[in-house]
Amino acid sequence: GKNWIILGGMALVLIIEDDEIIRSSFAELLKLQGYEVVDTADGDQALQFCREIPPDLVITDLLMPGKEGIETITELKRDFPGVKIIAVSGGGSQGAVSYLSAAKALGADRTYQKPLKPQVLFDAVAELLDDESPGE
């Protein structure tokens, strides 16, 4: 089983992505950057996990079987208003753009189209986690 024990002081990043190759490569790369990473294949799994341990930041794909990203973002924002969200979509150029703007409207902090360079992702994660200034 997975070990959900979170080490002190490390930000917890939750990845929701149905493509296992993308998911595991993002997870590995973020772990190398010093984050605690949990990855799930769908929104339902992710939301169950969040209810046990709310993450600091969520990276979610938008087009997934089961509970897709737009719905997942809506629920995350409702139940965990403080969580930072990065939405990623590869759903065909036109489709991706409209999905991403919907995600932004629902509260995603950053939206990107696939393919996404890892550096772009790291910069966004670092930026979003850095501005956790006390008293917000």
Side-chain angles (χ1 to χ4, degrees):
K2 292 215 175 171
N3 175 5
W4 303 127
I5 303 302
I6 303 308
L7 304 173
M10 288 163 77
L12 174 61
V13 177
L14 175 63
I15 299 174
I16 314 170
E17 164 65 74
D18 59 308
D19 181 320
E20 197 176 326
I21 295 170
I22 296 177
R23 187 174 78 234
S24 56
S25 64
F26 275 177
E28 286 310 308
L29 289 164
L30 283 163
K31 282 174 188 163
L32 290 172
Q33 301 279 312
Y35 299 106
E36 274 291 322
V37 183
V38 171
D39 56 284
T40 60
D42 66 67
D44 285 316
Q45 242 186 343
L47 286 157
Q48 275 174 346
F49 173 79
C50 290
R51 296 203 170 91
E52 290 177 43
I53 303 176
D56 298 294
L57 183 140
V58 175
I59 297 168
T60 183
D61 191 22
L62 291 181
L63 295 173
M64 299 179 285
K67 186 184 294 270
E68 45 75 60
I70 295 293
E71 203 181 330
T72 305
I73 290 172
T74 307
E75 292 191 26
L76 281 168
K77 276 294 179 191
R78 185 192 66 205
D79 298 345
F80 311 97
V83 72
K84 305 283 185 192
I85 299 175
I86 296 176
V88 181
S89 178
S93 53
Q94 224 23 65
V97 172
S98 55
Y99 270 106
L100 289 171
S101 56
K104 199 148 192 71
L106 291 167
D109 297 281
R110 297 277 189 283
T111 55
Y112 297 104
Q113 255 177 286
K114 285 181 188 166
L116 180 60
K117 290 194 177 75
Q119 195 54 52
V120 172
L121 189 67
F122 299 153
D123 291 346
V125 169
E127 209 174 294
L128 290 170
L129 292 173
D130 275 354
D131 68 23
E132 293 284 291
S133 50
E136 269 183 36

